[in-house]
């Protein structure tokens, strides 16, 4: 279910979109440009890109059992916004070489990396690919930077070489969530994840040590990548009545919704932790109240709590995403934000010669940049590819509404992050 009908909203939000585009990009905004094409949420007064396209690659998890449909929605929406509203990058349109990967088959990531080299892309976007490390040697050798929101692969996130991630490291979400759990006097946590190699690495390498450091009893449960028996999984998660239980990550919102419904059906009364999902909030209504989610960015259920310019930009993203009519949720908004920040920061840096090394240099030089719907970013640290450690933890407080648990972004404990390669 989408959060709004974009065709009714497009006219009302168009002025906001144009204003934000003028503020955040270096391209000029003129009311003399032609109208948007059919199927576009762009306003006719936006600036349309022209000329030779700038190619970027996208590792898109569209194959295998762990697909993330929101990545495609976010990509399509972002291209509409970038190319038809803010004038592209340096006035030129962005073209995405969209390559489907299977997160259970590293060879598909290798194949896509080789395809990007052949296509001459200037950067490769990591669409939350758990096997991204398989592409790193190929991309680095070709001088193609890897750019994303969160490095889902711990090896990729352990080094800053030839990569930039606009969001925090995965450890930041776990540290931030668990330190807030501890602050609420909750000392037990059981989380589930798809039975993939990276999930085991995250649990054994991150969650167990963090739990021990914070004094929280942490347990893990794994389910088949093709999907769990939700009643059985909920029953297992609820065993021992942990203070919090749920999902560490989720490849799509449907898993969150079904598990949350099952946790309620088995009478679990602790805090349901539903990764970065949002659809369950809409679907379950009052039954979702009391659950928690995390995110590197502001999301629609918390729009009323978002400060400017994030609130206006979230409305822009929502309009363009709704226009696509595809899968929404975190992966759509995260992909939209990644591509928007990629375009805006390159425009701000006034890059003119679009090569991989030049793009990487501009991204590494980002300083005190207010991201599109996230925190301020400072990139280029030698020890981490991430531009921030800040994360949001949301409480579901009413039907279809969330609020940040601490009023805003949480800064995870540096002492905890410093123990994890690449996290700080």
């Amino acid at each position: 279910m989408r959060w709004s009908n974009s065709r009714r909203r497009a006219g009302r939000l168009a002025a906001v979109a144009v204003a934000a585009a003028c503020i955040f990009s270096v391209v000029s905004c003129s009311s003399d440009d032609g109208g948007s094409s059919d199927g576009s949420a762009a306003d006719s007064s936006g600036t349309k890109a022209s000329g030779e396209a700038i190619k970027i690659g996208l590792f898109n998890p569209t194959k295998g059992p762990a697909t993330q449909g929101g990545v495609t929605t976010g990509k399509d929406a972002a291209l509409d916004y970038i190319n038809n509203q803010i004038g592209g990058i340096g006035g030129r349109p962005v073209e995405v070489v969209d390559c489907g990967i299977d997160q259970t088959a590293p060879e598909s990531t290798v194949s896509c990396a080789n395809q990007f080299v052949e296509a001459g892309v200037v950067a490769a976007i990591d669409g939350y690919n758990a096997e991204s490390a398989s592409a790193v040697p190929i991309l680095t050798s070709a001088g193609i930077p890897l750019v994303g929101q969160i490095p889902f692969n711990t090896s990729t996130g352990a080094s800053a070489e030839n990569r930039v991630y606009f969001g925090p490291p995965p450890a930041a979400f776990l540290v931030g969530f668990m330190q807030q759990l501890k602050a609420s006097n909750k000392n037990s946590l059981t989380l589930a994840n798809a039975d993939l190699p990276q999930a085991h690495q995250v649990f054994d390498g991150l969650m167990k040590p963090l739990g021990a450091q914070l004094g929280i009893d942490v347990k893990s449960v794994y389910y088949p990548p093709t999907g769990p028996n939700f009643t059985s999984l909920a029953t297992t998660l609820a065993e021992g009545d942990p203070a919090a239980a749920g999902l560490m990550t989720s490849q799509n919102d449907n898993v969150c919704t079904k598990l949350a419904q099952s946790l309620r059906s088995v009478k679990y009364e602790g805090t349901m932790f539903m990764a970065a999902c949002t659809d369950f909030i809409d679907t379950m209504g009052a039954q979702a109240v009391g659950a928690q989610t995390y995110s590197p960015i502001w999301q629609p259920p918390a729009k009323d709590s978002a400060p400017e310019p994030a609130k206006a930009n979230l409305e822009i993203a929502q309009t363009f995403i709704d226009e696509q009519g595809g899968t929404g949720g975190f992966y759509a908004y995260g992909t939209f934000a990644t591509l928007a920040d990629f375009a805006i920061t390159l425009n701000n840096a006034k890059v003119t010669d679009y090569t991989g090394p030049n793009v990487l240099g501009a991204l590494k030089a980002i300083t005190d940049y207010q991201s599109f719907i996230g925190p301020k970013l400072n990139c280029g640290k030698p020890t981490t590819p991430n531009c921030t450690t800040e994360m949001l933890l949301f409480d579901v407080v009413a039907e279809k509404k969330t609020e940040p648990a601490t009023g805003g972004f949480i800064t995870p404990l540096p002492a905890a992050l410093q123990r994890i390669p690449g996290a700080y």
Side-chain angles (χ1 to χ4, degrees):
M1 180 174 180
R2 299 194 296 273
W3 287 100
S4 65
N5 186 313
S6 63
R7 295 188 184 275
R8 291 197 301 266
R9 294 168 59 90
R12 179 169 63 85
L13 295 179
V16 178
V18 175
C22 293
I23 292 171
F24 290 112
S25 71
V26 297
V27 297
S28 62
C29 291
S30 169
S31 61
D32 295 328
D33 289 333
S36 61
S37 60
D38 289 345
S40 170
D43 181 71
S44 60
S45 60
T47 302
K48 190 169 184 176
S50 63
E52 183 181 0
I54 297 170
K55 291 184 180 180
I56 61 175
L58 172 64
F59 292 103
N60 192 346
T62 58
K63 299 180 179 179
T67 59
Q68 295 159 349
V71 172
T72 296
T73 304
K75 177 262 297 185
D76 291 340
L79 286 180
D80 187 6
Y81 173 66
I82 293 166
N83 290 337
N84 296 317
Q85 194 71 53
I86 66 170
I89 298 177
R92 294 165 57 184
V94 174
E95 177 185 333
V96 170
V97 179
D98 191 333
C99 192
I101 58 99
D102 178 349
Q103 301 200 73
T104 64
E107 59 271 18
S108 69
T109 292
V110 170
S111 176
C112 286
N114 286 323
Q115 181 177 329
F116 295 157
V117 174
E118 293 175 6
V121 305
V122 301
I125 305 299
D126 179 357
Y128 307 95
N129 179 9
E131 293 295 339
S132 59
S134 302
V136 167
I138 298 168
L139 298 178
T140 301
S141 177
I144 299 170
L146 182 64
V147 183
Q149 184 72 219
I150 307 167
F152 271 22
N153 183 283
T154 53
S155 296
T156 300
S159 171
E161 183 186 9
N162 198 52
R163 69 210 76 166
V164 173
Y165 284 84
F166 295 132
F173 298 106
L174 299 175
V175 174
F177 168 58
M178 285 199 281
Q179 71 187 44
Q180 190 62 26
L181 199 67
K182 186 69 174 179
S184 302
N185 296 315
K186 298 178 180 179
N187 299 315
S188 55
L189 169 67
T190 304
L191 291 181
N193 205 350
D195 194 1
L196 297 170
Q198 277 300 307
H200 289 270
Q201 289 181 32
V202 169
F203 179 77
D204 294 332
L206 299 182
M207 289 186 63
K208 279 187 176 179
L210 288 173
Q213 183 176 355
L214 294 169
I216 298 175
D217 180 21
V218 180
K219 296 179 181 178
S220 64
V221 177
Y222 296 98
Y223 60 85
T226 52
N229 176 313
F230 289 99
T231 300
S232 175
L233 181 59
T235 300
T236 302
L237 286 169
E239 286 179 359
D241 195 27
L247 290 166
M248 186 165 59
T249 61
S250 178
Q251 65 265 35
N252 58 63
D253 271 88
N254 187 50
V255 172
C256 286
T257 300
K258 289 185 176 180
L259 181 59
Q261 290 171 329
S262 296
L263 283 168
R264 292 299 190 217
S265 72
V266 300
K267 309 301 182 185
Y268 175 68
E269 296 181 354
T271 300
M272 294 194 306
F273 188 59
M274 291 289 109
C277 297
T278 57
D279 279 3
F280 80 98
I281 301 168
D282 194 27
T283 301
M284 294 178 64
Q287 282 197 315
V289 173
Q292 287 188 322
T293 66
Y294 65 74
S295 179
I297 55 174
W298 292 96
Q299 295 203 61
K303 185 169 61 179
D304 291 344
S305 298
E308 297 294 359
K311 185 174 183 178
N313 288 341
L314 186 57
E315 289 192 343
I316 293 169
Q318 191 171 1
T319 296
F320 281 82
I321 287 170
D322 284 348
E323 186 71 25
Q324 295 302 316
T327 303
F330 165 71
Y331 292 111
Y333 284 87
T335 302
F336 187 103
T338 298
L339 290 169
D341 284 327
F342 178 81
I344 292 166
T345 53
L346 290 184
N347 278 327
N348 289 345
K350 302 187 187 317
V351 174
T352 55
D353 185 11
Y354 297 97
T355 65
N358 286 349
V359 167
L360 179 65
L363 297 179
K364 291 278 191 182
I366 292 172
T367 303
D368 202 30
Y369 161 68
Q370 175 56 61
S371 63
F372 196 71
I373 49 176
K376 286 189 175 181
L377 305 182
N378 290 281
C379 310
K381 293 181 180 179
T383 55
T384 177
N386 297 91
C387 300
T388 183
T389 63
E390 291 186 296
M391 51 82 71
L392 288 159
L393 180 66
F394 294 117
D395 291 322
V396 182
V397 296
E399 289 195 31
K400 305 181 183 181
K401 183 177 181 180
T402 65
E403 292 178 352
T406 62
F409 284 91
I410 293 174
T411 301
L413 296 169
L417 294 181
Q418 287 170 350
R419 299 179 58 178
I420 302 161
Y424 193 77

